[in-house]
Amino acid sequence: AATIPHPRWRVPFLGDVLGTNPRTPVQDTMRMGRELGPIFTRRFLDQEIVFVGGAALAADLADESRFAKHLALGVEALRDVGGDGLFTAYNEEPNWKAAHDVLLPAFTQSAMRAYHPTMVDVTAQLVAKWDRGGVVDVSADMTNLTLETIGRVGFGYSFESFSRTEVHPFVRAMIGSLRYAQRKNFVLPVVGRLLGRAAEERYRADLAFLAEVVDEVVRSRRGSGGSDLLGLMLASGELDEVNIRNQVITFLIAGHETTSGALSFALYYLSRHPEVVEKARAEIDAVWGSADVPEFEQVTKLRYVRRVLDEALRLWPTAPGFAREARADTVLGGRYPLRAGQWALVLLPLVHRDPSVWPAPEAFDPDRFAPAAVKARPAHVYKPFGTGERACIGRQFAVHEATLALGTVLRRYDLVGVPDYELRVAEMLTLKPDGFTVTPRRR
Ligand code: MNH
């Protein structure tokens, strides 16, 4: 059995904390992985964490017969927030299967077709805002777009994201609780123990506020039917009240943070690659023709725009990792023995930059996702939506929403970025560009 490397300078008691910043655990770990290779460990206090950044080992971890989802670090930290909701449910928790079965019909192609008009409507609100001119904070507006979309499509609830001057209190409470959860549990448990009572109390208050907003949404809907996420859950009779609340919170968070980041990174790369913009526009013009507002099919036919999104999610998978545990004693990649229950964290930004499958990995090139190129790559080396039974249920939702938004924006505006902006990636369990602004100009 091969030994697994770890960072050289291990601090007694604390472990591998040198060169790390609680604000950037993912990027710090990426830097270590670049030196240590496809598999390595980091120790925090008494906890030793195995990280996988190599494509071949990540592909092996995708073997569902030997591995399953594990709730670790970032995801485990969210358990306070999402409870037994889909994302944070344990594999064997009966409510996972019950809710998965109830909600699956809400994520089919025909469900997306039904959501399309509302998605178009929310995109039009973004356009109305951008038409007024001026500099826009891209991550903030993408968050407005995606939160408004999941609120309205999933639950018939509007956050009135585009008509308020300050962030919605729900968003503030959500960001507060996510930040606390990240600091408390993710990668630097040491810091968590030092955060203190006041921060813990604020966290509890934020969680209570999230629950209050959601209960209000649910109350307003009881007995009124509907085939959206909430309607399905209420009508099924399969899920208890607390579980429904957990699902709503889960969907409001999981359903917007990651998509918002993905759109923001895509727009960042588009602002840097005029040749990509040109190809995308040619496609949009050809498929949408003179239509002011695209039909459902006209969005699904934007194959190149979709590749722009895929490539943005390769370089910056906005859910940057997921954990896999061994179902029984096994050997990872034929070299690393794992006992039953032992787990490893797949660090996607490294897996997606493994030069053995991604030539010139730092280059932004949507053509990597042209059908022939995809076919030529090994399977299971591109996993922005996770893997197996517990993979993202909202993938089609995110892809439709994001492709529609990118198509709409590219067709209407030139995106003038600040020329010397250098990409900074902010981490709050998910990733997003920090301080990236553009001035949209009508074409
Ligand atoms: Mn989503 C699970 C990434 C959009 C709802 N999502 C996952 C996982 C990844 C992921 C990775 C698996 C995590 C793990 O194994 O621990 N999700 C994304 C990305 C985007 C995204 C990168 C956008 C881009 N997700 C969405 C949207 C929704 C959503 C949109 C809802 C509308 N995701 C979920 C839910 C789960 C999940 C719910 C948990 C599924 C399960 O375990 O059954």
Side-chain angles (χ1 to χ4, degrees):
T3 54
I4 303 180
H6 63 75
R8 181 130 60 117
W9 306 107
R10 211 156 239 198
V11 181
F13 180 65
L14 294 182
D16 300 317
V17 295
L18 288 186
T20 68
N21 175 335
R23 287 177 193 279
T24 53
V26 172
Q27 291 162 91
D28 294 340
T29 312
M30 283 170 72
R31 212 165 42 246
M32 293 177 190
R34 287 190 159 117
E35 279 167 31
L36 295 169
I39 182 167
F40 57 98
T41 68
R42 291 184 69 187
R43 190 162 70 71
F44 304 100
L45 298 179
D46 50 359
Q47 198 183 15
E48 183 104 25
I49 297 165
V50 178
F51 288 90
V52 164
L57 293 178
D60 196 30
L61 285 171
D63 179 352
E64 286 274 281
S65 70
R66 288 155 56 228
F67 299 98
K69 168 161 170 156
H70 178 80
L71 251 64
L73 300 177
V75 179
E76 195 175 34
L78 283 175
R79 179 82 191 181
D80 280 347
V81 183
D84 63 354
L86 275 187
F87 190 75
T88 42
Y90 293 103
N91 294 325
E92 61 285 354
E93 235 167 341
N95 270 348
W96 177 76
K97 180 90 174 87
H100 182 80
D101 290 351
V102 167
L103 288 166
L104 215 49
F107 290 96
T108 57
Q109 271 299 94
S110 69
M112 296 312 127
R113 185 187 300 274
Y115 303 152
H116 176 76
T118 307
M119 290 186 177
V120 166
D121 199 55
V122 177
T123 309
Q125 292 179 25
L126 174 78
V127 165
K129 175 168 190 265
W130 283 17
D131 274 359
R132 292 200 292 272
V135 179
V136 301
D137 176 330
V138 173
S139 295
D141 270 345
M142 293 306 114
T143 298
N144 288 334
L145 178 85
T146 56
L147 182 66
E148 194 60 20
T149 301
I150 185 64
R152 286 191 47 198
V153 171
F155 311 100
Y157 181 81
S158 170
F159 288 92
E160 280 151 28
S161 308
F162 287 104
S163 51
R164 51 178 74 240
T165 45
E166 279 166 46
V167 289
H168 193 289
F170 183 88
V171 178
R172 193 155 359 96
M174 188 191 73
I175 290 173
S177 57
L178 293 183
R179 183 173 297 139
Y180 183 84
Q182 158 157 321
R183 298 253 172 97
K184 190 170 93 167
N185 286 337
F186 190 47
V187 177
L188 270 185
V190 184
V191 173
R193 289 174 208 184
L194 301 174
L195 283 175
R197 212 39 179 287
E200 172 78 24
E201 272 167 24
R202 209 171 324 119
Y203 176 57
R204 294 291 149 195
D206 282 342
L207 293 182
F209 183 74
L210 294 179
E212 202 178 295
V213 171
V214 167
D215 288 352
E216 172 64 38
V217 174
V218 174
R219 248 194 317 274
S220 72
R221 277 286 299 280
R222 281 224 178 259
S224 61
S227 61
D228 61 6
L229 302 188
L230 185 53
L232 284 171
M233 291 192 285
L234 291 172
S236 77
E238 305 277 325
L239 309 174
D240 60 76
E241 207 166 308
V242 173
N243 183 259
I244 291 178
R245 177 205 283 166
N246 288 336
Q247 303 298 355
V248 177
I249 293 181
T250 296
F251 276 94
L252 286 177
I253 296 176
H256 93 278
E257 271 282 298
T258 45
T259 313
S260 157
L263 273 166
S264 304
F265 283 114
L267 290 172
Y268 164 75
Y269 286 111
L270 287 164
S271 79
R272 295 296 138 124
H273 291 273
E275 76 288 358
V276 174
V277 171
E278 205 171 303
K279 276 174 88 168
R281 274 185 185 150
E283 177 182 65
I284 298 161
D285 289 341
V287 175
W288 290 9
S290 59
D292 238 6
V293 167
E295 300 290 332
F296 176 79
E297 281 75 17
Q298 288 174 308
V299 175
T300 61
K301 284 184 184 142
L302 296 183
R303 312 309 301 184
Y304 186 75
V305 174
R306 167 69 196 272
R307 282 173 218 157
V308 170
L309 186 71
D310 289 341
E311 177 68 342
L313 279 170
R314 178 183 70 83
L315 283 165
W316 294 108
T318 48
F322 54 84
R324 302 283 290 168
E325 68 179 36
R327 293 180 191 271
D329 293 359
T330 188
V331 180
L332 175 62
R335 287 190 70 188
Y336 306 98
L338 294 176
R339 286 185 313 280
Q342 262 194 303
W343 56 275
L345 199 108
V346 178
L347 198 62
L348 287 172
L350 282 182
V351 173
H352 291 173
R353 285 172 169 82
D354 183 330
S356 70
V357 274
W358 307 100
E362 295 296 337
F364 180 81
D365 177 10
D367 290 333
R368 296 180 198 272
F369 291 92
V374 172
K375 237 175 123 190
R377 263 194 303 276
H380 301 299
V381 298
Y382 177 70
K383 292 283 175 183
F385 292 96
T387 196
E389 189 173 46
R390 299 293 303 269
C392 182
I393 198 173
R395 179 181 193 149
Q396 310 305 329
F397 189 107
V399 165
H400 192 78
E401 175 185 12
T403 308
L404 165 65
L406 289 175
T408 304
V409 161
L410 282 172
R411 183 176 168 89
R412 194 168 180 93
Y413 306 105
D414 283 317
L415 300 172
V416 185
V418 176
D420 54 5
Y421 171 76
E422 261 194 64
L423 182 62
R424 283 192 310 276
V425 176
E427 303 185 18
M428 220 180 51
L429 300 177
T430 70
L431 310 179
K432 58 180 53 168
D434 188 22
F436 171 53
T437 60
V438 296
T439 308
R441 295 245 169 79
R442 282 295 296 278
R443 291 173 62 209

